[in-house]
Amino acid sequence: MISNSACPAGMPLSVGGVHFHFVGIKGTGMAALVEILHARGAVITGSDVQERFYTDEVLERLGIKAVPFSGGNITDSVQYVVYSSAYSPESNPDLVEALRRGIPMMLYSEALGALSATAFSAGVCGVHGKTTTTGMVGTILRGLDIPAQVLAGSVISSFGGTCTMTNGAMSRAGGAKPYFVAETCEYQRHFMSFHPVKIILTSVESDHQDFYPTYADIRDAFVDYACLLPEGGTLIYCADDAGACEVAGIVAGKRSDIALVPYGVNADGPYRLEFGTVRGGTHTFFVESLGECGICVPGDHNVRNACAAAALCAEILRSAGKNPSDFAGKIKEGLRNFSGGRRRSEIVGRAKTPLGEDVIFVDDYGHHPTAIKTTLAGFREFYGGHRIVVDFMSHTYTRTAALLDEFASSFGSADDVIINKIYGSAREDASAASVTGEILAERASSFHPRVVYAGEFDEAAEKGMALLSSPSGAKDGWLFVTMGAGDNWKVGKKILEKLGS
């Protein structure tokens, strides 16, 4: 912990010309926050490790290059330091020097919260679907005549290959605050630094067992977050998710001044949802206040995300003094223009197998049993003519151990399953873990007839190539999915390279 004297009370209402130094600038959230502040005229420098990440491209487009960690990075011009939780003020040289100088220092979550206090802010939260829903909101808002910024937790294709969207001037002309929508994270209660006026709550169930040992622990965190809403604030929640409904019920008992707005199949009102069909690469659906809509990404879970995004945008329009019905066409157009995000059902390549069959390579961040199950079910419906292979890498020993049977039984929509070793958290002791990737594979074999274990990526690529070198038995060929919060996307890359694509 850093001393209170090093923690700022907030952020300037105008950041034009203010110098921020980012420690761990290549992190996805950090790079996104850099984009937001850069668009508002801030001066940005940053430090990180030398390894190249996809965020280097994002930063370089802004004319920013990460430098190695050094106390010399903290010059007289630096006014604020923002840092990733991966780095300690006691040991990182940039932070040690900033602390010595008494420069205000903020964790990423604190800086995001401070920024949210300067705007009319909406937070997107939930165990599943945060990034996609935020990306959909931004894609809709960019087509509306509203000054807004949106920050997602990954690169969004329709944002132009960045993590953020800026629409219109961000100055506080006439005293009006701009609209700001951000993905907000429940882990370690990071979202409690945010200042929401509206919240989307997609889902609540047990996760992050290292910090929330019980379901009640994580549920109560979402309740506390929702209770940050001001009088007249809005909680937009999924009526199809038991946990979200429970949170909404508790919030209603605590705060009768918060408006509860449900969406989904089980919702009443303007955001009642009906599922349609998949045709021509489009998943159709019906929303009470919009009529027939469509998205070009697979899965019923993404239809629900789209409904949530449409609901928030309509509520923002209403707050801006506009009639949402007048913008129904633009909302639906925005949903159709959403084409996914980095590691969210992302098509990363196409090739031909040795037998000449087509194979599509998809990478997805799904790392919780519910996300795995719903995402693969969406692929099964969307890519119905394909034989589906999933290479899965579980993330954290604590999550895998706590939800072992749920993980093991989540691959039913895949034809073939390859399980990698577990991608552990830096906070975990792998040698003391009660579960391994091999144990997960063994347990999955009791639920699925075609499961193999391949701990290392080279072995996984070999097993994947062996599968792709045989006849698929499917009219449209193969779908090869790498899934998880680790780096097993490298398996798909290795196979693509072997296929000469």
Side-chain angles (χ1 to χ4, degrees):
M1 295 292 291
I2 58 179
S3 66
N4 289 334
S5 62
C7 291
M11 186 177 289
L13 292 178
S14 174
V15 297
V18 177
H19 185 173
F20 292 83
H21 181 74
F22 281 72
V23 178
I25 194 171
K26 295 184 184 184
T28 300
M30 295 280 277
L33 187 56
V34 165
E35 289 185 284
I36 293 288
L37 292 173
H38 184 273
R40 297 189 182 197
V43 176
I44 308 290
T45 57
S47 55
D48 213 314
V49 297
Q50 290 186 320
E51 182 182 354
R52 188 169 179 84
F53 297 93
Y54 74 86
T55 50
D56 279 289
E57 298 176 14
V58 174
L59 297 170
E60 287 164 3
R61 282 198 293 268
L62 303 178
I64 299 167
K65 183 173 179 59
V67 297
F69 297 123
S70 168
N73 296 328
I74 309 302
T75 63
D76 291 341
S77 66
V78 173
Q79 295 166 269
Y80 289 88
V81 171
V82 180
Y83 67 103
S84 163
S85 59
Y87 301 102
S88 167
E90 283 77 36
S91 58
N92 179 272
D94 299 55
L95 298 178
V96 168
E97 177 62 15
L99 194 58
R100 186 189 70 80
R101 288 173 175 250
I103 296 173
M105 295 163 54
M106 293 178 278
L107 281 165
Y108 163 77
S109 56
E110 293 170 338
L112 181 64
L115 184 66
S116 72
T118 70
F120 184 108
S121 295
V124 180
C125 71
V127 172
H128 311 296
K130 294 185 288 291
T131 300
T132 296
T133 304
T134 307
M136 289 175 168
V137 170
T139 308
I140 296 170
L141 287 178
R142 72 182 303 179
L144 303 179
D145 184 24
I146 291 178
Q149 284 188 309
V150 178
L151 183 153
S154 185
V155 167
I156 303 298
S157 299
S158 50
F159 289 2
T162 70
C163 305
T164 65
M165 187 283 298
T166 297
N167 192 45
M170 290 298 104
S171 64
R172 301 177 73 251
K177 289 185 176 182
Y179 291 91
F180 180 52
V181 181
E183 176 180 339
T184 56
C185 182
E186 71 277 7
Y187 185 58
Q188 295 184 340
R189 299 172 72 92
H190 286 317
F191 51 20
M192 294 302 291
S193 297
F194 202 74
H195 296 266
V197 180
K198 299 184 185 298
I199 289 175
I200 288 177
L201 175 59
T202 63
S203 53
V204 180
E205 61 178 303
S206 184
D207 197 11
H208 304 297
Q209 286 78 9
D210 60 326
F211 190 79
Y212 300 113
T214 69
Y215 162 73
D217 293 327
I218 195 169
R219 177 203 64 199
D220 291 347
F222 282 104
V223 170
D224 290 345
Y225 180 47
C227 286
L228 291 179
L229 287 164
E231 181 178 355
T234 307
L235 176 63
I236 301 167
Y237 70 97
C238 183
D240 302 337
D241 183 85
C245 289
E246 185 177 2
V247 166
I250 296 172
V251 170
K254 288 176 173 284
R255 293 279 306 278
S256 60
D257 60 314
I258 292 175
L260 301 180
V261 177
Y263 69 91
V265 174
N266 294 315
D268 292 323
Y271 311 117
R272 183 181 65 84
L273 171 68
E274 292 180 12
F275 291 111
T277 60
V278 176
R279 57 176 186 264
T282 300
H283 200 144
T284 63
F285 56 98
F286 176 90
V287 178
E288 185 72 32
S289 57
L290 295 175
E292 185 173 87
C293 305
I295 55 174
C296 300
V297 290
D300 288 351
H301 61 298
N302 279 326
V303 169
R304 288 189 173 90
N305 293 337
C307 189
L312 176 59
C313 291
E315 295 299 317
I316 286 175
L317 283 164
R318 189 170 285 112
S319 296
K322 301 176 186 291
N323 184 350
S325 298
D326 295 340
F327 295 85
K330 288 193 172 184
I331 291 173
K332 292 194 284 187
E333 181 182 3
L335 290 176
R336 285 185 177 273
N337 287 339
F338 178 77
S339 53
R342 181 71 62 93
R343 305 214 65 209
R344 271 68 179 181
S345 301
E346 180 188 11
I347 296 177
V348 294
R350 299 173 186 267
K352 293 283 189 182
T353 71
L355 296 180
E357 291 188 284
D358 291 322
V359 53
I360 301 171
F361 288 85
V362 170
D363 186 45
D364 191 87
Y365 190 69
H367 57 281
H368 185 284
T370 300
I372 297 164
K373 189 176 296 184
T374 57
T375 301
L376 290 177
F379 290 159
R380 172 58 65 200
E381 182 178 22
F382 207 75
Y383 298 102
H386 293 75
R387 178 169 169 177
I388 300 175
V389 181
V390 59
D391 179 276
F392 177 69
M393 186 179 207
S394 194
H395 179 42
T396 81
Y397 293 94
T398 52
R399 180 188 285 120
T400 310
L403 304 174
L404 182 60
D405 280 343
E406 289 90 336
F407 274 112
S409 60
S410 62
F411 302 104
S413 293
D415 296 291
D416 300 271
V417 182
I418 303 170
I419 303 288
N420 306 141
K421 64 184 179 183
I422 293 173
Y423 182 76
S425 163
R427 297 175 296 274
E428 297 179 305
D429 179 4
S431 64
S434 63
V435 67
T436 64
E438 195 162 13
I439 290 173
L440 173 59
E442 291 172 359
R443 190 67 62 91
S445 295
S446 65
F447 294 94
H448 196 287
R450 296 177 63 86
V451 178
V452 297
Y453 176 69
E456 302 300 329
F457 296 159
D458 284 342
E459 182 186 4
E462 289 176 6
K463 292 183 182 296
M465 272 298 298
L467 282 169
L468 298 179
S469 297
S470 63
S472 68
K475 67 182 181 69
D476 294 326
W478 298 85
L479 182 73
F480 192 96
V481 181
T482 48
M483 181 173 281
D487 56 351
N488 63 319
W489 54 267
K490 294 175 182 176
V491 174
K493 183 180 179 182
K494 288 176 181 288
I495 296 175
L496 270 167
E497 289 172 350
K498 289 183 179 182
L499 293 175
S501 179

